[in-house]
Amino acid sequence: MPPRVFLRRPRLTERLARGVQGPLTLVNGPAGAGKTLLVADWVRTGAAPGRVAWLTVEPEDNAPGVFWTYVLEALRRQGPDPPDEVDGAGGPARPGEVDHSLLARLAARLSRRTEPVVLVLDDFDRVVSSAEVADALQFVLRHAAGGLRLVIISRTEPLLPLHRYRAADEVTDIRDADLAFLPEETAALLSRHGMHLSEDAVRAVADRTGGWAAGLRLCILAAQQADDPESFLKGFEAGRSTLADFLLAEVLDAQPAETQDLLLRGSILERIHPELADALTGRDDGEPILAGLQRANAFVEALGHSWYRLHPLFAEILRVHLRVRRPGLEPELHRRAARWLSEARLLTEALPHAAAAGDWEPAATRFIDELAIGRLLTGLDAQRLDALFSRMDPDTPGPAADLVRAARELARHNVDQGLERLRRVQEHLSEDGARVSGAQRLSCALLGVLAARMTGSADLAEAAAKEVEAAEQDISPERLAQHPELTALMLTDLGSAQLWAGRFDAARASLTAAAHLDAGPSTAFPRHECLSRLALIDFLRGRPARAETHAREAIAEAERSGLPPAARTGVAELVLAAVAVDRDELATARAHLDRAAAASAAPHDPIVTTELTLLRSRLRLAEGDPQAALDALDGLARPSTVVRPSPWVADRIALARSAAHLAADRPQAALEVLGDGSPGPQSAVAAARARIADGACEEALRLLDELPTVQGEGPAVAVRALLARAQAADALGDDAAAQRLTARALSLARPERLRRPFLEAGPWLRRLLRRRPVLAQGHAWLPVSVTGRTAVAARHDRAPVPLTEPLITEPLSERELEVLGRLAQMLSTEEIAADLHLSVNTVKTHLKNIYRKLAATRRNEAVRRARALHLL
């Protein structure tokens, strides 16, 4: 509600009404010009077209991610039943960046509205220096196609291309001269305050204040304290240094001593509560003073819920006078404010006051006790908190301060320094008689999981995770529920450490649990990271289709959360690149590889750095240059002195070297790089292929017969094993076995479109398929270089169907062919559903259609007829 003495000025509200017929309205003027009250009253009267969303910008909103988080929240609050364009757009996940796709989705949804949304941005000058915010705002406004009307309230002009809007007559300016009170408006305002002055007195006030709204208010308030208001105003001395100095001296001095004291002390606050005022003054009269000032419209406005705010310009001037009148008092006031705000659980507001007072030890202690350690590691507040604690005195004592330092070092990938800080905390917490809170234990254990991940130790990570669970027993579930980022970070770091150590099943369980946590800005990045790593596990286990699904889910999660591409892990793009290589889609693989390399995690995550090198090597090999593939592997960094080696990473490097040597016809070198250890399935297949190339086919078959069966290995592993067996059988003259094994490999590879294993198989496969072209029928997805046929021949070269088998009258869909392929692998209905990410009922429907189209009544009959029709 506007103040009781507020004067509505139709000439300005009419300009606002005309302005929002176009895309942009600017209300520009100095502090105290009445900008906000003007627009707020116009909105309150319902003159705005459609719905209105209001955002008062704060200095911290200069970060694009923070700014757009609050814009989206303002749009969501615009009415009792807001449209769904905002919920579908998602939201930022990092304070310093906003994903362009989020802005595009928001603009697209706004453009479909039948009536526009009016977005009011008050105090926009607080982000005027942010070109990123301005550019993003301009993009949404331009692409919303009339669905958005923007009203900017600011002391300065925004960094928008205003010349274009003005040239197109698409901007309405309400500037300082427009906002200035005219003499007749000054007279009306004086009358509202119960002051009926002569024309000369009114003209004197209007001239000497320049029509400045705040100056008029302060001048009127001062005159109200005078015995003869008209004489006071006529005698106003324009020769003072500034109007503000004069008005402050006259008005402040006219207040009772207790009111002056409260105003001076309260000037250090963004907003003030009566009890907080009492904490600053040491008295108990905060509530009546603030309420009285608000009723009199004197400097103070009510914000609701017993909170008030001093007029910003007045507060600024008061702070200057506080330093003059009470030198040295300001740090103590900040100290008291920090203490009160902390006890009120308003940590975000308390910390800047503690920093201003230099009370770093209690500030850090409160930060840890409030379970806020995770906010230093992820979420919208991470950069702001890091900047705040960067000012902490390096000699600040106590375990809480060391925990904050450790978190900052680890977040910046300074592992050695972070570990040193963490060890100091652990030593303190283990001392006899040390007073240790559950929050300190939990924070220390959480950072222990992160440190274990960064050093590659799954054992330490699992031990620290148990310490986290033990510490949580001392903290109420309600408090833990307020910090979902703690669980998300712990599970993500634990799963990542387990993944690095090759404990895939344990890693999958940890990462899946984190990915299923409730969505929100504080858990956005951990969810994205977990889905990315689940995709990598799927790929490493030979399941490219599942890997692709998880990778795309990870990218979708990042887009929903507003994570720009550069702020993502890069792992999802690496998985998509690897899958594309297996499918011989090399241009697609390069594009994904470039996006992965641009991720901010690329220089710090050993998985990303290693996989980038491996994929570049695989691309060189796919392009037919084995030596370039080996040269690319030589670019791998030397083993880290901090991170423990990963067994599967070492195996993948050896496999890549072996494949390059084999392609260069160096089978002995291919065997040597694999080593003499106990090989897993992929290493065993690579060793068998090298032995076959070296003429030791019987030895290769023995190795393949001893191949360990590892639960969870997918078709990409099985296809390569089958092709190796088929090659050995072909070399030994067992044509029937070679055909049978090749057919099985083709059947397994078809649903996944795995072309690369067949391209790498060598000349024997091309010769076999040319001798037995029936094997390639139904597999048009195979490259022509493998089948040896033209594209036309591949479509028409079909073996005649035996007359005893009925022809199908309706072709099978791609999904039905995928189900049929798994049917031939003797998978159960439930296994087919899990493999294809379908429901059991959907699989049953596909099976029913397959049986009908193949004129079959049971599984074996359907598979037999499908083989006869060359569908398998």
Side-chain angles (χ1 to χ4, degrees):
M1 289 290 291
R4 175 178 51 82
V5 294
F6 174 74
L7 179 68
R8 184 170 294 119
R9 297 188 280 173
R11 67 181 177 90
L12 296 179
T13 55
E14 288 172 6
R15 291 190 65 179
L16 281 171
R18 290 194 301 270
V20 293
Q21 300 304 313
L24 181 60
T25 302
L26 299 179
V27 183
N28 287 101
K35 307 181 293 296
T36 299
L37 279 175
L38 167 68
V39 180
D41 182 65
W42 172 73
V43 170
R44 187 186 66 82
T45 59
R51 296 175 178 272
V52 178
W54 187 293
L55 172 63
T56 299
V57 180
E58 300 295 342
E60 294 82 5
D61 301 349
N62 207 53
V66 175
F67 174 81
W68 282 100
T69 295
Y70 289 125
V71 167
L72 292 167
E73 184 59 27
L75 291 171
R76 291 188 181 98
R77 295 197 310 264
Q78 63 183 275
D81 55 343
D84 62 358
E85 67 264 0
V86 179
D87 289 336
R94 292 167 66 95
E97 301 165 301
V98 61
D99 189 12
H100 185 77
S101 66
L102 183 152
L103 304 176
R105 289 195 299 275
L106 176 61
R109 285 166 169 79
L110 288 169
S111 69
R112 294 196 289 268
R113 288 183 56 83
T114 56
E115 66 175 18
V117 172
V118 178
L119 174 60
V120 180
L121 296 176
D122 192 13
D123 286 342
F124 190 72
D125 48 279
R126 291 176 172 178
V127 297
V128 73
S129 63
S130 176
E132 294 88 351
V133 167
D135 290 344
L137 197 59
Q138 157 67 3
F139 174 86
V140 173
L141 183 62
R142 187 173 73 250
H143 289 85
L148 178 65
R149 300 285 191 264
L150 192 59
V151 178
I152 292 180
I153 305 172
S154 177
R155 299 184 188 182
T156 58
E157 285 198 344
L159 295 176
L160 297 173
L162 298 180
H163 61 284
R164 297 180 188 171
Y165 286 100
R166 287 175 176 139
D169 197 24
E170 291 183 333
V171 61
T172 295
D173 284 291
I174 300 176
R175 307 183 72 83
D176 185 23
D178 305 307
L179 293 165
F181 275 66
L182 302 176
E184 57 268 31
E185 292 170 339
T186 302
L189 182 64
L190 287 164
S191 178
R192 286 290 181 96
H193 284 81
M195 302 174 67
H196 303 282
L197 309 181
S198 66
E199 288 186 8
D200 288 343
V202 171
R203 190 176 300 108
V205 174
D207 290 343
R208 291 171 181 174
T209 61
W212 178 44
L216 282 170
R217 285 182 62 200
L218 294 171
C219 193
I220 290 169
L221 290 167
Q224 286 177 324
Q225 308 297 323
D227 294 334
D228 184 355
E230 180 156 338
S231 298
F232 173 84
L233 291 173
K234 282 184 177 180
F236 170 78
E237 296 182 15
R240 300 270 185 170
S241 58
T242 65
L243 174 64
D245 287 342
F246 167 73
L247 292 175
L248 179 60
E250 295 294 332
V251 174
L252 189 63
D253 288 344
Q255 299 295 326
E258 293 81 3
T259 302
Q260 292 186 42
D261 185 56
L262 185 150
L263 288 172
L264 286 169
R265 291 169 182 260
S267 66
I268 68 164
L269 303 166
E270 290 287 331
R271 58 179 188 149
I272 185 169
H273 188 277
E275 294 179 10
L276 176 54
D278 292 344
L280 296 182
T281 64
R283 304 190 305 271
D284 60 359
D285 54 4
E287 201 286 325
I289 290 177
L290 289 169
L293 289 169
Q294 193 272 331
R295 282 194 301 271
N297 192 34
F299 326 113
V300 173
E301 65 175 312
L303 301 176
H305 304 288
S306 298
W307 285 92
Y308 297 87
R309 183 181 73 159
L310 297 181
H311 185 283
L313 175 64
F314 190 52
E316 184 178 340
I317 298 170
L318 282 170
R319 284 193 292 274
V320 175
H321 278 256
L322 172 66
R323 292 161 193 153
V324 173
R325 296 189 183 189
R326 309 284 175 83
L329 180 60
E330 196 168 353
E332 174 60 23
L333 294 176
H334 281 295
R335 189 171 293 112
R336 294 183 189 183
R339 187 181 306 119
W340 188 91
L341 290 164
S342 294
E343 292 171 355
R345 308 297 289 271
L346 297 171
L347 184 65
T348 299
E349 295 181 57
L351 285 173
H353 288 290
D359 284 353
W360 288 111
E361 184 177 7
T365 299
R366 177 62 66 177
F367 183 75
I368 296 301
D369 287 347
E370 288 294 325
L371 301 178
I373 191 71
R375 291 168 56 188
L376 261 175
L377 304 173
T378 190
L380 293 172
D381 276 346
Q383 290 183 3
R384 184 185 66 83
L385 290 170
D386 179 76
L388 179 71
F389 280 111
S390 69
R391 294 152 48 194
M392 185 165 62
D393 189 330
D395 296 326
T396 302
D402 275 328
L403 281 168
V404 170
R405 293 189 189 99
R408 291 188 64 242
E409 297 291 358
L410 292 173
R412 293 165 175 262
H413 308 282
N414 297 328
V415 181
D416 289 336
Q417 296 92 323
L419 287 172
E420 178 59 33
R421 298 287 186 186
L422 197 56
R423 278 193 289 269
R424 186 182 303 178
V425 177
Q426 291 167 339
E427 290 172 1
H428 174 85
L429 298 184
S430 62
E431 290 176 358
D432 292 338
R435 297 180 61 184
V436 181
S437 68
Q440 288 177 343
R441 290 178 56 216
L442 175 59
S443 300
C444 184
L446 182 73
L447 293 179
V449 181
L450 173 58
R453 169 193 175 170
M454 299 180 80
T455 56
S457 174
D459 290 337
L460 291 178
E462 290 170 353
K466 290 180 180 178
E467 293 176 9
V468 170
E469 295 174 356
E472 288 176 341
Q473 303 304 310
D474 296 332
I475 300 170
S476 70
E478 293 77 16
R479 288 188 64 199
L480 289 172
Q482 295 172 359
H483 297 278
E485 71 276 3
L486 299 178
T487 301
L489 288 167
M490 188 274 286
L491 289 171
T492 303
D493 294 336
L494 173 61
S496 297
Q498 291 166 330
L499 167 59
W500 181 254
R503 302 174 187 178
F504 294 149
D505 291 338
R508 186 188 298 278
S510 300
L511 297 171
T512 301
H516 289 165
L517 291 172
D518 290 341
S522 66
T523 60
F525 187 81
R527 291 197 312 276
H528 160 69
E529 189 170 27
C530 288
L531 289 167
S532 300
R533 278 163 160 69
L534 285 170
L536 179 60
I537 292 172
D538 287 330
F539 180 79
L540 294 174
R541 300 303 291 267
R543 299 187 177 276
R546 286 188 186 180
E548 181 182 30
T549 298
H550 269 131
R552 297 201 181 282
E553 287 177 356
I555 292 172
E557 175 63 36
E559 291 178 349
R560 281 193 300 271
S561 303
L563 278 172
R568 301 171 190 176
T569 69
V571 174
E573 296 288 356
L574 283 173
V575 170
L576 292 176
V579 171
V581 171
D582 272 352
R583 292 172 177 169
D584 197 42
E585 298 165 355
L586 304 187
T588 300
R590 291 188 199 94
H592 287 302
L593 198 60
D594 290 342
R595 286 193 282 271
S600 59
H604 308 291
D605 189 337
I607 288 178
V608 176
T609 55
T610 303
E611 287 294 319
L612 277 170
T613 302
L614 287 170
L615 279 167
R616 290 183 179 120
S617 175
R618 289 192 68 198
L619 277 171
R620 299 290 187 276
L621 190 60
E623 292 163 351
D625 193 340
Q627 189 55 50
L630 286 170
D631 292 343
L633 293 172
D634 290 339
L636 282 169
R638 293 182 178 180
S640 170
T641 58
V642 175
V643 183
R644 300 184 183 185
S646 168
W648 63 265
V649 168
D651 287 345
R652 281 180 59 73
I653 295 172
L655 285 169
R657 293 189 186 279
S658 177
H661 282 301
L662 192 59
D665 197 24
R666 294 192 291 267
Q668 284 297 324
L671 278 172
E672 289 174 5
V673 297
L674 292 173
D676 299 324
S678 176
Q682 297 183 58
S683 297
V685 170
R689 291 189 62 212
R691 285 180 168 82
I692 293 169
D694 203 32
C697 297
E698 292 88 350
E699 188 178 350
L701 280 176
R702 283 195 298 273
L703 182 60
L704 291 170
D705 288 339
E706 297 170 358
L707 189 66
T709 301
V710 179
Q711 188 177 4
E713 298 292 351
V717 178
V719 166
R720 287 177 168 85
L722 287 167
L723 285 175
R725 290 179 183 276
Q727 183 180 4
D730 181 74
L732 294 171
D734 191 344
D735 191 61
Q739 291 185 60
R740 182 178 68 256
L741 293 164
T742 300
R744 287 176 58 191
L746 287 165
S747 178
L748 273 178
R750 176 176 179 163
E752 306 276 358
R753 305 196 307 280
L754 294 173
R755 300 182 183 92
R756 180 54 42 191
F758 297 91
L759 287 164
E760 294 173 349
W764 73 270
L765 180 60
R766 290 190 290 275
R767 291 193 298 267
L768 176 66
L769 293 179
R770 286 167 186 157
R771 292 198 312 269
R772 299 289 186 268
V774 67
L775 289 171
Q777 291 179 357
H779 297 290
W781 54 274
L782 277 173
V784 172
S785 61
V786 174
T787 61
R789 295 172 294 168
T790 64
V792 173
R795 288 197 299 270
H796 297 288
D797 183 18
R798 304 269 185 183
V801 179
L803 296 179
T804 56
E805 294 290 350
L807 294 172
I808 60 173
T809 57
E810 182 182 351
L812 273 64
S813 68
E814 283 298 320
R815 181 62 83 182
E816 287 164 354
L817 287 170
E818 290 178 352
V819 172
L820 180 62
R822 284 153 177 80
L823 201 68
Q825 299 172 35
M826 302 304 292
L827 297 182
S828 68
T829 303
E830 290 74 13
E831 289 172 330
I832 295 173
D835 201 46
L836 294 177
H837 301 284
L838 301 173
S839 70
V840 172
N841 287 336
T842 300
V843 173
K844 288 180 178 178
T845 299
H846 287 314
L847 290 174
K848 183 178 179 181
N849 291 337
I850 291 169
Y851 293 161
R852 175 177 57 81
K853 293 177 181 181
L854 295 178
T857 58
R858 59 187 184 275
R859 173 190 296 259
N860 292 340
E861 185 180 6
V863 171
R864 182 175 60 80
R865 290 185 176 172
R867 294 190 190 283
L869 292 165
H870 308 294
L871 297 176
L872 292 172

